[in-house]
Amino acid sequence: NKIQKKVASVGFEYKNELDALNKVSEETKELKKEIKAKNKKKIKEELGDLIFATLDVARKLDLDSELILRNANNKFSKRWKKLEKLSKKEKINLNELSLNKFNLLWKKVKKI
């Protein structure tokens, strides 16, 4: 936030939240490209750029990115606990699930 506020103070920033979000999409494309190329150094660089761009969206929306991440972690953890509880109830071994079956179970948990 400090870096982004500093550069924004001299005019180096996107006009609005949607322009900032477009930068996130651009960075996502660049990250995908490097993942396909299996270039570990560039992957780290592009992932950093993606995170930085995402934080800029939060700043543009005047939101606390640290609080947003903390809330997202809490939300995920609560859902995961529900998923574990549901899997025990339905006698599902999580170690044996495919990603597709995990996603189906996740969608079910989101409705609880």
Side-chain angles (χ1 to χ4, degrees), residues 64-93:
D64 182 339
S65 54
E66 190 174 332
L67 180 61
I68 290 169
L69 182 56
R70 190 176 312 118
N71 290 341
N73 286 336
N74 289 336
K75 180 178 156 184
F76 182 91
S77 294
K78 286 177 185 176
R79 283 187 180 159
W80 184 258
K81 286 177 185 175
K82 288 179 184 180
L83 187 139
E84 288 176 320
K85 189 175 179 179
L86 181 62
S87 68
K88 282 183 181 179
K89 182 181 174 186
E90 295 186 6
K91 295 181 171 85
I92 297 170
N93 185 345

mmCIF file of all heavy atoms in Angstrom, residues 64-93:
data_model
loop_
_atom_site.group_PDB
_atom_site.id
_atom_site.type_symbol
_atom_site.label_atom_id
_atom_site.label_comp_id
_atom_site.label_asym_id
_atom_site.label_seq_id
_atom_site.Cartn_x
_atom_site.Cartn_y
_atom_site.Cartn_z
ATOM 1 N N ASP A 64 -9.166 -2.535 3.081
ATOM 2 C CA ASP A 64 -7.995 -3.006 3.816
ATOM 3 C C ASP A 64 -7.638 -4.407 3.314
ATOM 4 O O ASP A 64 -8.297 -5.380 3.657
ATOM 5 C CB ASP A 64 -8.312 -3.016 5.308
ATOM 6 C CG ASP A 64 -7.156 -3.447 6.187
ATOM 7 O OD1 ASP A 64 -6.228 -4.118 5.684
ATOM 8 O OD2 ASP A 64 -7.193 -3.141 7.385
ATOM 9 N N SER A 65 -6.606 -4.508 2.497
ATOM 10 C CA SER A 65 -6.241 -5.793 1.884
ATOM 11 C C SER A 65 -5.841 -6.838 2.922
ATOM 12 O O SER A 65 -6.128 -8.026 2.746
ATOM 13 C CB SER A 65 -5.123 -5.599 0.862
ATOM 14 O OG SER A 65 -4.028 -4.947 1.438
ATOM 15 N N GLU A 66 -5.214 -6.416 4.001
ATOM 16 C CA GLU A 66 -4.830 -7.363 5.045
ATOM 17 C C GLU A 66 -6.068 -7.954 5.711
ATOM 18 O O GLU A 66 -6.150 -9.170 5.936
ATOM 19 C CB GLU A 66 -3.950 -6.672 6.091
ATOM 20 C CG GLU A 66 -3.325 -7.633 7.065
ATOM 21 C CD GLU A 66 -2.337 -6.954 7.995
ATOM 22 O OE1 GLU A 66 -1.736 -5.939 7.617
ATOM 23 O OE2 GLU A 66 -2.167 -7.467 9.110
ATOM 24 N N LEU A 67 -7.056 -7.127 5.991
ATOM 25 C CA LEU A 67 -8.301 -7.600 6.585
ATOM 26 C C LEU A 67 -9.056 -8.508 5.608
ATOM 27 O O LEU A 67 -9.605 -9.538 6.012
ATOM 28 C CB LEU A 67 -9.179 -6.407 6.981
ATOM 29 C CG LEU A 67 -10.526 -6.734 7.614
ATOM 30 C CD1 LEU A 67 -10.353 -7.520 8.908
ATOM 31 C CD2 LEU A 67 -11.317 -5.452 7.852
ATOM 32 N N ILE A 68 -9.052 -8.142 4.344
ATOM 33 C CA ILE A 68 -9.720 -8.955 3.328
ATOM 34 C C ILE A 68 -9.102 -10.351 3.274
ATOM 35 O O ILE A 68 -9.813 -11.357 3.231
ATOM 36 C CB ILE A 68 -9.648 -8.272 1.949
ATOM 37 C CG1 ILE A 68 -10.539 -7.032 1.928
ATOM 38 C CG2 ILE A 68 -10.042 -9.231 0.833
ATOM 39 C CD1 ILE A 68 -10.329 -6.149 0.717
ATOM 40 N N LEU A 69 -7.780 -10.416 3.278
ATOM 41 C CA LEU A 69 -7.099 -11.707 3.237
ATOM 42 C C LEU A 69 -7.365 -12.510 4.504
ATOM 43 O O LEU A 69 -7.615 -13.718 4.440
ATOM 44 C CB LEU A 69 -5.594 -11.518 3.021
ATOM 45 C CG LEU A 69 -4.772 -12.794 2.911
ATOM 46 C CD1 LEU A 69 -5.289 -13.701 1.793
ATOM 47 C CD2 LEU A 69 -3.307 -12.459 2.688
ATOM 48 N N ARG A 70 -7.326 -11.848 5.638
ATOM 49 C CA ARG A 70 -7.608 -12.532 6.907
ATOM 50 C C ARG A 70 -9.022 -13.108 6.883
ATOM 51 O O ARG A 70 -9.241 -14.265 7.269
ATOM 52 C CB ARG A 70 -7.449 -11.555 8.080
ATOM 53 C CG ARG A 70 -7.487 -12.229 9.436
ATOM 54 C CD ARG A 70 -7.243 -11.278 10.607
ATOM 55 N NE ARG A 70 -6.084 -10.417 10.426
ATOM 56 C CZ ARG A 70 -6.129 -9.087 10.370
ATOM 57 N NH1 ARG A 70 -7.268 -8.454 10.489
ATOM 58 N NH2 ARG A 70 -5.036 -8.378 10.209
ATOM 59 N N ASN A 71 -9.987 -12.329 6.412
ATOM 60 C CA ASN A 71 -11.369 -12.814 6.329
ATOM 61 C C ASN A 71 -11.507 -13.974 5.349
ATOM 62 O O ASN A 71 -12.245 -14.928 5.604
ATOM 63 C CB ASN A 71 -12.311 -11.678 5.938
ATOM 64 C CG ASN A 71 -12.485 -10.655 7.043
ATOM 65 O OD1 ASN A 71 -12.203 -10.922 8.209
ATOM 66 N ND2 ASN A 71 -12.946 -9.475 6.691
ATOM 67 N N ALA A 72 -10.791 -13.901 4.235
ATOM 68 C CA ALA A 72 -10.826 -14.986 3.246
ATOM 69 C C ALA A 72 -10.247 -16.270 3.845
ATOM 70 O O ALA A 72 -10.793 -17.361 3.635
ATOM 71 C CB ALA A 72 -10.067 -14.587 1.988
ATOM 72 N N ASN A 73 -9.160 -16.138 4.589
ATOM 73 C CA ASN A 73 -8.567 -17.302 5.255
ATOM 74 C C ASN A 73 -9.529 -17.912 6.258
ATOM 75 O O ASN A 73 -9.683 -19.139 6.332
ATOM 76 C CB ASN A 73 -7.254 -16.925 5.953
ATOM 77 C CG ASN A 73 -6.120 -16.717 4.988
ATOM 78 O OD1 ASN A 73 -6.113 -17.230 3.880
ATOM 79 N ND2 ASN A 73 -5.131 -15.945 5.404
ATOM 80 N N ASN A 74 -10.188 -17.064 7.042
ATOM 81 C CA ASN A 74 -11.156 -17.549 8.032
ATOM 82 C C ASN A 74 -12.326 -18.245 7.351
ATOM 83 O O ASN A 74 -12.767 -19.309 7.797
ATOM 84 C CB ASN A 74 -11.656 -16.403 8.913
ATOM 85 C CG ASN A 74 -10.602 -15.912 9.875
ATOM 86 O OD1 ASN A 74 -9.675 -16.623 10.239
ATOM 87 N ND2 ASN A 74 -10.721 -14.661 10.301
ATOM 88 N N LYS A 75 -12.828 -17.654 6.302
ATOM 89 C CA LYS A 75 -13.948 -18.228 5.548
ATOM 90 C C LYS A 75 -13.562 -19.601 4.993
ATOM 91 O O LYS A 75 -14.315 -20.560 5.114
ATOM 92 C CB LYS A 75 -14.330 -17.265 4.417
ATOM 93 C CG LYS A 75 -15.467 -17.728 3.543
ATOM 94 C CD LYS A 75 -15.740 -16.616 2.517
ATOM 95 C CE LYS A 75 -16.394 -17.105 1.275
ATOM 96 N NZ LYS A 75 -16.568 -16.041 0.282
ATOM 97 N N PHE A 76 -12.374 -19.672 4.394
ATOM 98 C CA PHE A 76 -11.907 -20.943 3.847
ATOM 99 C C PHE A 76 -11.772 -21.988 4.948
ATOM 100 O O PHE A 76 -12.221 -23.128 4.795
ATOM 101 C CB PHE A 76 -10.568 -20.773 3.123
ATOM 102 C CG PHE A 76 -10.080 -22.055 2.502
ATOM 103 C CD1 PHE A 76 -10.423 -22.370 1.201
ATOM 104 C CD2 PHE A 76 -9.299 -22.942 3.222
ATOM 105 C CE1 PHE A 76 -9.991 -23.562 0.624
ATOM 106 C CE2 PHE A 76 -8.861 -24.130 2.662
ATOM 107 C CZ PHE A 76 -9.204 -24.442 1.359
ATOM 108 N N SER A 77 -11.159 -21.600 6.074
ATOM 109 C CA SER A 77 -10.948 -22.535 7.180
ATOM 110 C C SER A 77 -12.270 -23.073 7.726
ATOM 111 O O SER A 77 -12.388 -24.272 8.010
ATOM 112 C CB SER A 77 -10.155 -21.871 8.310
ATOM 113 O OG SER A 77 -8.854 -21.573 7.877
ATOM 114 N N LYS A 78 -13.261 -22.204 7.873
ATOM 115 C CA LYS A 78 -14.576 -22.639 8.354
ATOM 116 C C LYS A 78 -15.210 -23.619 7.378
ATOM 117 O O LYS A 78 -15.782 -24.633 7.783
ATOM 118 C CB LYS A 78 -15.497 -21.433 8.564
ATOM 119 C CG LYS A 78 -15.149 -20.631 9.789
ATOM 120 C CD LYS A 78 -16.034 -19.403 9.913
ATOM 121 C CE LYS A 78 -15.593 -18.541 11.080
ATOM 122 N NZ LYS A 78 -16.371 -17.309 11.171
ATOM 123 N N ARG A 79 -15.105 -23.321 6.094
ATOM 124 C CA ARG A 79 -15.671 -24.234 5.091
ATOM 125 C C ARG A 79 -14.928 -25.564 5.097
ATOM 126 O O ARG A 79 -15.527 -26.616 4.934
ATOM 127 C CB ARG A 79 -15.633 -23.603 3.702
ATOM 128 C CG ARG A 79 -16.704 -22.588 3.511
ATOM 129 C CD ARG A 79 -16.749 -22.097 2.084
ATOM 130 N NE ARG A 79 -17.804 -21.121 1.924
ATOM 131 C CZ ARG A 79 -17.854 -20.238 0.961
ATOM 132 N NH1 ARG A 79 -16.895 -20.196 0.041
ATOM 133 N NH2 ARG A 79 -18.843 -19.379 0.885
ATOM 134 N N TRP A 80 -13.622 -25.509 5.257
ATOM 135 C CA TRP A 80 -12.836 -26.743 5.270
ATOM 136 C C TRP A 80 -13.250 -27.618 6.450
ATOM 137 O O TRP A 80 -13.376 -28.837 6.316
ATOM 138 C CB TRP A 80 -11.339 -26.447 5.309
ATOM 139 C CG TRP A 80 -10.548 -27.708 5.218
ATOM 140 C CD1 TRP A 80 -9.921 -28.373 6.233
ATOM 141 C CD2 TRP A 80 -10.337 -28.492 4.036
ATOM 142 N NE1 TRP A 80 -9.324 -29.512 5.753
ATOM 143 C CE2 TRP A 80 -9.567 -29.613 4.406
ATOM 144 C CE3 TRP A 80 -10.722 -28.349 2.707
ATOM 145 C CZ2 TRP A 80 -9.179 -30.588 3.502
ATOM 146 C CZ3 TRP A 80 -10.330 -29.315 1.796
ATOM 147 C CH2 TRP A 80 -9.578 -30.421 2.198
ATOM 148 N N LYS A 81 -13.467 -27.004 7.606
ATOM 149 C CA LYS A 81 -13.921 -27.765 8.780
ATOM 150 C C LYS A 81 -15.281 -28.401 8.518
ATOM 151 O O LYS A 81 -15.525 -29.543 8.906
ATOM 152 C CB LYS A 81 -13.958 -26.864 10.020
ATOM 153 C CG LYS A 81 -12.586 -26.559 10.560
ATOM 154 C CD LYS A 81 -12.634 -25.620 11.746
ATOM 155 C CE LYS A 81 -11.220 -25.263 12.164
ATOM 156 N NZ LYS A 81 -11.162 -24.274 13.219
ATOM 157 N N LYS A 82 -16.166 -27.670 7.855
ATOM 158 C CA LYS A 82 -17.471 -28.228 7.492
ATOM 159 C C LYS A 82 -17.301 -29.400 6.525
ATOM 160 O O LYS A 82 -17.998 -30.405 6.632
ATOM 161 C CB LYS A 82 -18.363 -27.164 6.850
ATOM 162 C CG LYS A 82 -18.885 -26.134 7.812
ATOM 163 C CD LYS A 82 -19.733 -25.109 7.077
ATOM 164 C CE LYS A 82 -20.207 -24.005 7.983
ATOM 165 N NZ LYS A 82 -21.021 -23.011 7.259
ATOM 166 N N LEU A 83 -16.354 -29.254 5.590
ATOM 167 C CA LEU A 83 -16.088 -30.312 4.629
ATOM 168 C C LEU A 83 -15.578 -31.561 5.343
ATOM 169 O O LEU A 83 -16.028 -32.677 5.047
ATOM 170 C CB LEU A 83 -15.071 -29.831 3.597
ATOM 171 C CG LEU A 83 -14.808 -30.770 2.434
ATOM 172 C CD1 LEU A 83 -14.699 -29.984 1.142
ATOM 173 C CD2 LEU A 83 -13.568 -31.577 2.651
ATOM 174 N N GLU A 84 -14.691 -31.380 6.291
ATOM 175 C CA GLU A 84 -14.172 -32.518 7.054
ATOM 176 C C GLU A 84 -15.292 -33.187 7.853
ATOM 177 O O GLU A 84 -15.389 -34.422 7.893
ATOM 178 C CB GLU A 84 -13.061 -32.068 7.995
ATOM 179 C CG GLU A 84 -11.774 -31.708 7.289
ATOM 180 C CD GLU A 84 -10.710 -31.181 8.226
ATOM 181 O OE1 GLU A 84 -11.037 -30.406 9.160
ATOM 182 O OE2 GLU A 84 -9.539 -31.530 8.006
ATOM 183 N N LYS A 85 -16.138 -32.383 8.457
ATOM 184 C CA LYS A 85 -17.254 -32.913 9.246
ATOM 185 C C LYS A 85 -18.228 -33.686 8.350
ATOM 186 O O LYS A 85 -18.669 -34.783 8.696
ATOM 187 C CB LYS A 85 -17.977 -31.757 9.949
ATOM 188 C CG LYS A 85 -19.007 -32.177 10.957
ATOM 189 C CD LYS A 85 -19.570 -30.963 11.682
ATOM 190 C CE LYS A 85 -20.616 -31.369 12.684
ATOM 191 N NZ LYS A 85 -21.159 -30.212 13.407
ATOM 192 N N LEU A 86 -18.547 -33.117 7.209
ATOM 193 C CA LEU A 86 -19.445 -33.763 6.263
ATOM 194 C C LEU A 86 -18.847 -35.061 5.733
ATOM 195 O O LEU A 86 -19.548 -36.066 5.603
ATOM 196 C CB LEU A 86 -19.771 -32.820 5.106
ATOM 197 C CG LEU A 86 -20.725 -33.352 4.039
ATOM 198 C CD1 LEU A 86 -22.102 -33.656 4.642
ATOM 199 C CD2 LEU A 86 -20.859 -32.347 2.901
ATOM 200 N N SER A 87 -17.546 -35.035 5.448
ATOM 201 C CA SER A 87 -16.901 -36.248 4.926
ATOM 202 C C SER A 87 -16.930 -37.376 5.967
ATOM 203 O O SER A 87 -17.118 -38.537 5.617
ATOM 204 C CB SER A 87 -15.471 -35.967 4.488
ATOM 205 O OG SER A 87 -14.652 -35.670 5.584
ATOM 206 N N LYS A 88 -16.766 -37.032 7.241
ATOM 207 C CA LYS A 88 -16.862 -38.050 8.303
ATOM 208 C C LYS A 88 -18.287 -38.596 8.380
ATOM 209 O O LYS A 88 -18.491 -39.798 8.488
ATOM 210 C CB LYS A 88 -16.446 -37.468 9.655
ATOM 211 C CG LYS A 88 -14.964 -37.350 9.831
ATOM 212 C CD LYS A 88 -14.612 -36.844 11.211
ATOM 213 C CE LYS A 88 -13.112 -36.711 11.342
ATOM 214 N NZ LYS A 88 -12.711 -36.203 12.658
ATOM 215 N N LYS A 89 -19.248 -37.691 8.339
ATOM 216 C CA LYS A 89 -20.657 -38.082 8.419
ATOM 217 C C LYS A 89 -21.038 -39.012 7.268
ATOM 218 O O LYS A 89 -21.757 -39.992 7.466
ATOM 219 C CB LYS A 89 -21.539 -36.829 8.395
ATOM 220 C CG LYS A 89 -23.015 -37.096 8.521
ATOM 221 C CD LYS A 89 -23.803 -35.797 8.472
ATOM 222 C CE LYS A 89 -25.288 -36.070 8.454
ATOM 223 N NZ LYS A 89 -26.055 -34.836 8.274
ATOM 224 N N GLU A 90 -20.546 -38.693 6.070
ATOM 225 C CA GLU A 90 -20.881 -39.488 4.888
ATOM 226 C C GLU A 90 -19.851 -40.584 4.603
ATOM 227 O O GLU A 90 -19.904 -41.228 3.559
ATOM 228 C CB GLU A 90 -21.050 -38.565 3.672
ATOM 229 C CG GLU A 90 -22.220 -37.623 3.835
ATOM 230 C CD GLU A 90 -22.492 -36.792 2.594
ATOM 231 O OE1 GLU A 90 -21.852 -37.019 1.546
ATOM 232 O OE2 GLU A 90 -23.360 -35.905 2.678
ATOM 233 N N LYS A 91 -18.920 -40.763 5.555
ATOM 234 C CA LYS A 91 -17.874 -41.790 5.443
ATOM 235 C C LYS A 91 -17.099 -41.683 4.129
ATOM 236 O O LYS A 91 -16.903 -42.657 3.415
ATOM 237 C CB LYS A 91 -18.477 -43.188 5.621
ATOM 238 C CG LYS A 91 -19.041 -43.413 7.011
ATOM 239 C CD LYS A 91 -19.603 -44.803 7.168
ATOM 240 C CE LYS A 91 -19.971 -45.112 8.569
ATOM 241 N NZ LYS A 91 -21.212 -44.732 9.073
ATOM 242 N N ILE A 92 -16.652 -40.471 3.858
ATOM 243 C CA ILE A 92 -15.866 -40.197 2.654
ATOM 244 C C ILE A 92 -14.415 -40.014 3.078
ATOM 245 O O ILE A 92 -14.118 -39.221 3.966
ATOM 246 C CB ILE A 92 -16.370 -38.920 1.944
ATOM 247 C CG1 ILE A 92 -17.807 -39.094 1.474
ATOM 248 C CG2 ILE A 92 -15.453 -38.542 0.804
ATOM 249 C CD1 ILE A 92 -18.461 -37.811 0.980
ATOM 250 N N ASN A 93 -13.518 -40.740 2.433
ATOM 251 C CA ASN A 93 -12.091 -40.605 2.705
ATOM 252 C C ASN A 93 -11.535 -39.497 1.810
ATOM 253 O O ASN A 93 -11.432 -39.664 0.597
ATOM 254 C CB ASN A 93 -11.378 -41.934 2.452
ATOM 255 C CG ASN A 93 -9.919 -41.875 2.828
ATOM 256 O OD1 ASN A 93 -9.346 -40.804 3.027
ATOM 257 N ND2 ASN A 93 -9.304 -43.035 2.919
#
